[in-house]
Amino acid sequence: MPRKSTYPTPTDQSSLCLQYLRRCGGSARLCSIKFSLGVIQTLVNQKKVKITNTGAGFYVQLEDVK
């Protein structure tokens, strides 16, 4: 019988969030993203995305936009 993990695994949601940002051109408004703040915080901690304040709102941007 497989063991249950006691730690939350936001990897499924974080990969979906990264795919969403790639489809949006690398950045999206923070208020328009429907992912939880925990998922976004995980991506910020992993240095995959960054949050910027443009004066017109907060944006989530991919760190390595190609």
Side-chain angles (χ1 to χ4, degrees):
M1 188 179 216
R3 290 185 177 178
K4 260 188 160 178
S5 175
T6 57
Y7 299 104
T9 55
T11 55
D12 297 335
Q13 293 294 317
S14 61
S15 65
L16 290 175
C17 185
L18 288 173
Q19 287 178 3
Y20 174 77
L21 288 172
R22 286 186 191 111
R23 279 187 267 128
C24 290
S27 68
R29 286 188 69 134
L30 184 59
C31 64
S32 68
I33 294 179
K34 302 299 180 196
F35 295 98
S36 71
L37 293 178
V39 170
I40 295 170
Q41 184 65 48
T42 301
L43 292 172
V44 169
N45 291 344
Q46 294 174 354
K47 297 185 180 181
K48 293 185 178 181
V49 299
K50 62 182 176 180
I51 308 293
T52 56
N53 184 1
T54 62
F58 289 93
Y59 281 82
V60 179
Q61 295 179 332
L62 291 173
E63 280 288 336
D64 53 347
V65 178
K66 294 179 181 177

